[in-house]
DNA sequence: GTAGGGTTAG
């Protein structure tokens, strides 16, 4: 019984703190009974410091295990803390031996948790402060336990507070001792804090410690080595140094992490680590991720190859899906998008073909969505179809019971957006079908991005029904939002923009376009929500929609709407006319006003204003020169009025003039943001 | 130790 528990405890004393401590359900090792006996001795006034120490040691042997006591989870640190306080009360602070205090410090260190909910490190720190007041000088061991507690408690990671505390203690310990074993152990713990800390400079701090360990390792005495000092510098130590660099955002992080990885492999191959200490998956995956962030897929793949070679020599090292995904993601981020697509397709195929032999490399949702992104960023013709095929592949796997490839509405949205960006003839039909299947699905409900992207597909469609469908979808989204109160479904300015764009492109009603703009403005006034703030696009699309009015009977109303919208833009404090505004407004003048004085006046006034604002673009110039009387064009372009140029010369001038030929000031703001 | 959706016009 005790033997089995001892083994389990050893396992929990290991450095792997990722595993949550287990909760014991019985008094498996009799520590509770020891406590009962101690309490009995206290009752009869027969408890000595030695009896307390026996009970403390009984709990300390439980390591990180936890158990229930009065409906609360408790652990060795809590129990030993209570026992120490009782003992101090019975005797006096100075009558309790330092060795007994140290048992409590050790318990704090052992029970310290990564997230530090119980704050044992700080409790260790305050106990050591009390000890300093009672005793003249404390042994290094006391400080070592506190350092150990800070090393394993990783709360305040961002601020690096635990790391700083550990460093202060390390400095103190370095001053007090030259014992190789102690120093190696303390360096190793401090290195562990830096590897987990995201604070600035953590990688170089980790590097300093690794270097110190390597130097000290060379100078250790035979005595130290017999006590296991050189065994502390092992694969775990290297892993910590690697991860410190790997997560570092500076561009050299990947290079440094990679160098240390190679050094670790070299040492491992030479048999320099303790038996059973071997390079870990997490070190390799960390380096691959670091290369990926630099877009260095070639290097990430080299690391994967290295890992594949090394696994034969290791008992536990084998690449997993994250390893492959990291390389895949690195290709996604690499510069050559065509190579990326080829490589990623190959790697995914390899995973699919080999996971029966290597279950850890079974492709998951991450794998497929990265493949999908690779298709989307490629220049291939059938991007939308291929990304849809990838999504359907996931859907089939999911339907057959594979829970690791759950499709998400984001992926559906990515496919729909691929259709919106492509030039597939029936993009709109496909997009609407995808929307319908999302509505049927329990997993991937459409949201406002879905609706907006489907409407964007409709805006590119030549189907005369598109505008009607777009309006239907907008009100459907509104209805679903009102039913569910789900904010991700609420239409926003962009959704409105896409509906108006659809109207503009399908010669739809300017009245409707205007109504939508007014509706959005009212919503924005009510809520002041930045997502509903109309921008230049909204107004410009309304102008373009009006300009595209074909039916003669509707042109007057369309012009009124355009004029109103243009005037509003000039006075608005939300938007300012831009070069598109003037181009669309001139288009309105040309298309909606019959030739004559009124049109001439409008064009003249608009162009002069546009020139003053420095917004004369190629399109503005085109709208001016095409469809307006040559005399007016010449006047507005400042063609020398009294020159004796012939009409053909003038006409040629008007045909070839470019924005660049005009005074710079006329177009100084065309590209302003 | 691996991410991710709409950024629009003429």
């Amino acid at each position: 019984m005790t033997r089995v528990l001892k083994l389990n405890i050893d396992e929990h004393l290991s450095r792997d703190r990722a595993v949550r401590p287990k909760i014991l359900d019985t008094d498996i090792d009799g520590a509770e009974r020891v406590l009962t006996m101690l309490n009995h001795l206290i009752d009869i006034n027969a408890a000595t410091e030695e009896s307390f120490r026996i009970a403390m040691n009984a709990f300390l042997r439980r390591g990180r295990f936890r158990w229930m006591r009065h409906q609360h989870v408790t652990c060795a640190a809590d129990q030993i803390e209570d026992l120490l306080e009782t003992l101090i009360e019975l005797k006096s602070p100075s009558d309790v031996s330092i060795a007994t205090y140290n048992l409590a410090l050790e318990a704090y260190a052992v029970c310290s948790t990564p997230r530090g909910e119980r704050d044992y490190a700080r409790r260790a720190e305050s106990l050591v402060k009390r000890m300093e007041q009672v005793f003249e000088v404390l042994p290094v061991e006391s400080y070592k336990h506190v350092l150990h507690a800070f090393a394993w408690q990783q709360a305040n990671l961002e601020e690096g507070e635990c790391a700083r505390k550990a460093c202060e203690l390390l400095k103190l310990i370095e001053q007090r001792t030259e014992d190789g074993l102690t120093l190696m152990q303390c360096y190793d713990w401090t290195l562990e804090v830096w590897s987990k800390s995201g604070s600035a400079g953590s990688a170089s701090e980790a590097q300093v410690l690794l270097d110190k360990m390597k130097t000290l390792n060379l100078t250790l005495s035979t005595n130290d080595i017999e006590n296991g000092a050189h065994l502390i510098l092992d694969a775990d130590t290297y892993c910590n140094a690697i991860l410190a660099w790997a997560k570092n955002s500076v561009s050299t992080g990947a290079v440094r992490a990679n160098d240390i990885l190679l050094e670790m492999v070299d040492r491992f191959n030479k048999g320099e680590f303790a038996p059973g200490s071997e390079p870990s998956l997490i070190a390799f995956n960390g380096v691959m991720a670091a290369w990926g962030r630099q877009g260095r897929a070639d290097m990430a793949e080299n690391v994967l190859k290295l890992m594949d070679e090394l696994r034969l020599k290791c008992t536990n090292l084998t690449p997993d899906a994250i390893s492959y995904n990291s390389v895949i993601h690195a290709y996604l981020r690499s510069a050559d998008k065509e190579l990326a697509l080829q490589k990623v397709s190959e790697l995914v195929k390899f995973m699919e073909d080999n996971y029966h032999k290597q279950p850890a490399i079974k492709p998951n949702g991450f794998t497929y969505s990265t493949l999908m992104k690779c298709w989307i960023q490629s220049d291939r013709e059938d991007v939308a179809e291929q990304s849809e095929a990838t999504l359907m592949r996931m859907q089939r796997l999911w339907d057959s019971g594979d829970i690791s490839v759950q499709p998400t509405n984001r992926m559906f949205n990515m496919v729909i957006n691929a259709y919106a960006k492509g030039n597939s003839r029936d993009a709109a039909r496909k997009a609407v079908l995808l929307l319908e299947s999302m509505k049927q699905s329990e997993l991937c409900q459409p949201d406002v991005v879905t609706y907006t992207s489907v409407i964007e597909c409709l805006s590119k469609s030549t189907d005369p029904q598109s505008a009607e469908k777009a309006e239907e979808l907008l009100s459907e989204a509104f209805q679903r939002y009102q039913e569910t109160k789900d904010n991700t479904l609420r239409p926003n300015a962009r959704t409105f923009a896409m509906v108006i764009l659809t109207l503009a492109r399908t010669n739809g009603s300017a009245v409707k376009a205007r109504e939508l703009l007014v509706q959005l403005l009212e919503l924005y006034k009510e809520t002041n929500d930045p997502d509903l703030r109309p921008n230049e696009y909204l107004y410009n699309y309304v102008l373009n929609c009006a300009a595209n009015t074909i039916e003669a009977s509707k042109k007057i109303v369309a012009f009124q709407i355009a004029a109103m919208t243009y005037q509003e833009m000039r006075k608005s404090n939300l938007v300012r006319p831009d070069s598109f505004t003037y181009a669309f407004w001139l288009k309105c003048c040309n298309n909606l006003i019959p030739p004559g004085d009124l049109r001439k006046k409008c064009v003249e006034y608009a162009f002069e204003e546009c020139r003053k604002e420095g917004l004369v673009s190629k399109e503005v110039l085109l709208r001016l020169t095409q469809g307006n009387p040559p005399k007016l064009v010449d006047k507005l372009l400042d063609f020398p009025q009294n020159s004796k140029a012939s009409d053909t010369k003038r006409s040629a001038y008007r045909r070839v003039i470019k924005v660049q030929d005009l005074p710079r000031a006329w177009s100084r703001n065309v590209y302003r943001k």
Side-chain angles (χ1 to χ4, degrees):
Chain A
M1 194 67 118
T2 315
R3 216 185 130 75
V4 170
L5 182 73
K6 184 76 178 77
L7 284 176
N8 283 339
I9 284 176
D10 282 349
E11 188 184 304
H12 278 265
L13 288 172
S14 81
R15 297 207 273 187
D16 185 11
R17 298 246 130 188
V19 190
R20 274 196 156 269
K22 290 204 179 86
I23 296 188
L24 296 175
D25 50 4
T26 59
D27 184 24
I28 185 170
D29 56 352
E32 297 280 357
R33 274 170 288 159
V34 173
L35 180 64
T36 312
M37 286 188 266
L38 174 67
N39 282 331
H40 183 67
L41 288 175
I42 295 171
D43 286 345
I44 62 171
N45 242 337
T48 63
E49 183 171 353
E50 187 53 27
S51 353
F52 275 85
R53 289 168 58 92
I54 289 169
M56 287 173 159
N57 272 311
F59 285 121
L60 193 55
R61 270 194 296 273
R62 287 189 168 181
R64 297 181 67 220
F65 277 109
R66 294 180 177 184
W67 59 95
M68 301 302 291
R69 189 172 184 82
H70 309 312
Q71 275 101 46
H72 290 289
V73 177
T74 188
C75 66
D78 295 337
Q79 296 289 323
I80 294 170
E81 181 181 69
D82 283 352
L83 289 170
L84 181 69
E85 296 306 332
T86 314
L87 180 63
I88 291 171
E89 261 179 51
L90 280 177
K91 302 174 84 158
S92 77
S94 55
D95 287 338
V96 176
S97 72
I98 290 180
T100 306
Y101 281 98
N102 280 351
L103 285 178
L105 291 176
E106 189 178 351
Y108 286 135
V110 168
C111 295
S112 194
T113 57
R115 274 174 299 166
E117 308 99 330
R118 295 178 178 234
D119 215 14
Y120 289 134
R122 215 167 299 279
R123 276 146 84 172
E125 189 186 29
S126 72
L127 179 59
V128 106
K129 287 217 172 91
R130 280 164 67 193
M131 290 166 73
E132 280 168 345
Q133 284 168 7
V134 178
F135 305 102
E136 245 170 55
V137 64
L138 296 182
V140 165
E141 192 195 341
S142 306
Y143 296 107
K144 194 176 117 178
H145 292 315
V146 185
L147 166 59
H148 188 184
F150 273 113
W152 274 359
Q153 175 175 314
Q154 286 131 23
N156 310 313
L157 280 182
E158 307 310 313
E159 298 81 14
E161 199 189 327
C162 289
R164 272 199 304 278
K165 293 273 187 194
C167 278
E168 282 168 22
L169 287 156
L170 180 64
K171 266 189 206 132
L172 191 147
I173 291 167
E174 279 181 313
Q175 285 164 11
R176 297 272 190 96
T177 186
E178 286 182 359
D179 174 56
L181 187 56
T182 303
L183 286 172
M184 282 296 268
Q185 185 63 75
C186 290
Y187 290 144
D188 202 40
W189 282 329
T190 313
L191 174 55
E192 176 146 2
V193 206
W194 284 120
S195 93
K196 305 249 159 62
S197 163
S199 61
S202 53
S204 38
E205 295 282 354
Q207 185 68 56
V208 169
L209 288 159
L210 178 67
D211 292 342
K212 279 188 181 180
M213 287 181 79
K214 276 157 55 178
T215 312
L216 182 57
N217 209 40
L218 295 171
T219 59
L220 286 169
S221 68
T222 342
N223 188 34
D224 290 325
I225 289 168
E226 273 168 16
N227 286 319
H230 74 295
L231 299 180
I232 294 175
L233 179 65
D234 65 4
D236 284 340
T237 308
Y238 273 91
C239 182
N240 281 330
I242 289 165
L243 292 181
W245 281 112
K247 67 154 81 173
N248 195 291
S249 53
V250 301
S251 61
T252 51
V255 182
R256 302 295 295 266
N258 197 77
D259 287 348
I260 303 173
L261 181 84
L262 295 179
E263 190 181 307
M264 170 180 73
V265 170
D266 186 48
R267 280 195 178 231
F268 172 73
N269 282 333
K270 288 180 185 155
E272 292 180 12
F273 295 151
S277 171
E278 58 183 36
S280 69
L281 174 66
I282 181 168
F284 286 89
N285 284 358
V287 177
M288 286 190 280
W291 282 125
R293 268 176 253 122
Q294 301 297 319
R296 291 296 305 273
D298 52 337
M299 292 305 288
E301 198 171 10
N302 285 342
V303 174
L304 184 64
K305 281 183 194 146
L306 176 64
M307 174 154 59
D308 248 334
E309 287 162 19
L310 201 66
R311 56 194 269 246
L312 302 170
K313 294 188 189 168
C314 296
T315 53
N316 266 324
L317 182 69
T318 166
D320 66 359
I322 293 184
S323 318
Y324 278 83
N325 286 349
S326 297
V327 178
I328 286 174
H329 187 244
Y331 275 112
L332 175 74
R333 297 279 307 267
S334 68
D336 185 342
K337 301 307 179 195
E338 181 57 30
L339 177 73
L341 179 57
Q342 278 175 30
K343 282 289 200 170
V344 169
S345 304
E346 280 169 29
L347 283 159
V348 174
K349 189 169 186 321
F350 183 88
M351 291 168 87
E352 287 175 331
D353 291 347
N354 289 280
Y355 79 82
H356 297 289
K357 282 176 281 176
Q358 296 180 64
I361 66 165
K362 189 169 161 317
N364 56 26
F366 186 98
T367 316
Y368 289 113
S369 71
T370 311
L371 173 62
M372 186 192 278
K373 280 230 87 179
C374 268
W375 274 109
I376 288 173
Q377 69 170 22
S378 78
D379 288 330
R380 301 275 185 103
E381 279 289 308
D382 50 350
V383 162
E385 285 78 3
Q386 291 292 345
S387 58
E388 185 175 8
T390 310
L391 179 64
M392 292 306 129
R393 203 147 121 205
M394 287 179 71
Q395 186 80 53
R396 273 198 303 279
L397 288 168
W398 167 260
D399 289 341
S400 68
D402 183 346
I403 56 162
S404 66
V405 289
Q406 181 175 336
T408 64
N409 68 345
R410 289 194 164 218
M411 292 180 201
F412 274 90
N413 290 349
M414 282 161 72
V415 174
I416 294 172
N417 189 45
Y419 275 115
K421 297 292 173 289
N423 37 24
S424 159
R425 241 167 208 291
D426 53 2
R429 195 181 58 84
K430 291 271 187 64
V432 170
L433 282 176
L434 282 163
L435 172 65
E436 290 306 319
S437 75
M438 286 173 84
K439 286 196 269 183
Q440 306 297 319
S441 146
E442 283 175 11
L443 276 177
C444 305
Q445 282 294 303
D447 59 14
V448 63
V449 177
T450 320
Y451 279 98
T452 308
S453 300
V454 174
I455 298 171
E456 189 179 346
C457 288
L458 286 166
S459 80
K460 291 195 166 171
S461 145
T462 50
D463 183 344
Q465 307 286 305
S466 292
E468 207 176 307
K469 183 75 188 163
E471 286 179 87
E472 271 173 36
L473 289 176
L474 177 64
S475 42
E476 184 181 304
F478 257 118
Q479 203 185 334
R480 287 170 82 95
Y481 162 61
Q482 271 149 7
E483 280 164 13
T484 58
K485 295 285 170 222
D486 177 357
N487 276 327
T488 66
L489 267 164
R490 191 180 62 173
N492 55 35
R494 203 169 141 58
T495 322
F496 278 82
M498 287 302 141
V499 181
I500 301 176
L501 178 63
T502 312
L503 283 162
R505 281 178 174 163
T506 55
N507 304 107
S509 155
V511 178
K512 278 188 181 161
R514 171 75 195 177
E515 277 171 8
L516 287 163
L517 175 61
V518 171
Q519 194 189 342
L520 180 66
L521 275 164
E522 278 167 8
L523 278 172
Y524 178 63
K525 247 190 265 169
E526 271 170 40
T527 60
N528 220 12
D529 181 332
D531 287 347
L532 291 168
R533 188 186 203 273
N535 57 16
E536 280 78 4
Y537 285 90
L538 269 293
Y539 287 85
N540 291 346
Y541 286 156
V542 173
L543 290 182
N544 193 22
C545 183
N548 287 343
T549 304
I550 295 173
E551 268 181 76
S553 64
K554 292 183 177 166
K555 286 195 176 189
I556 291 180
V557 174
F559 183 73
Q560 285 170 342
I561 284 172
M564 202 183 335
T565 308
Y566 170 60
Q567 290 305 333
E568 265 176 38
M569 281 190 92
R570 298 172 66 217
K571 290 177 192 148
S572 165
N573 45 17
L574 289 176
V575 293
R576 289 159 68 189
D578 56 20
S579 66
F580 285 88
T581 310
Y582 287 103
F584 287 139
W585 171 241
L586 286 171
K587 187 178 169 188
C588 285
C589 297
N590 293 346
N591 291 359
L592 303 175
I593 315 174
D597 274 354
L598 179 64
R599 192 208 279 192
K600 201 181 130 195
K601 262 190 190 156
C602 285
V603 169
E604 190 171 351
Y605 191 83
F607 187 78
E608 277 176 353
E609 184 128 324
C610 177
R611 203 171 66 179
K612 229 163 49 200
E613 295 293 320
L615 288 168
V616 179
S617 65
K618 183 180 159 211
E619 293 296 331
V620 168
L621 198 53
L622 204 71
R623 294 292 166 196
L624 174 73
T625 53
Q626 292 184 353
N628 285 298
K631 258 193 161 164
L632 177 64
V633 176
D634 288 350
K635 184 182 159 205
L636 293 175
L637 295 183
D638 278 349
F639 191 89
Q641 293 299 304
N642 52 3
S643 97
K644 297 204 172 90
S646 65
D647 282 354
T648 35
K649 230 177 186 173
R650 284 168 182 271
S651 141
Y653 172 79
R654 284 193 295 267
R655 262 205 314 280
V656 299
I657 190 161
K658 295 201 172 81
V659 176
Q660 299 92 284
D661 304 328
L662 301 169
R664 265 195 72 90
W666 292 19
S667 55
R668 64 183 184 278
N669 291 327
V670 170
Y671 300 108
R672 73 159 181 229
K673 262 286 155 202

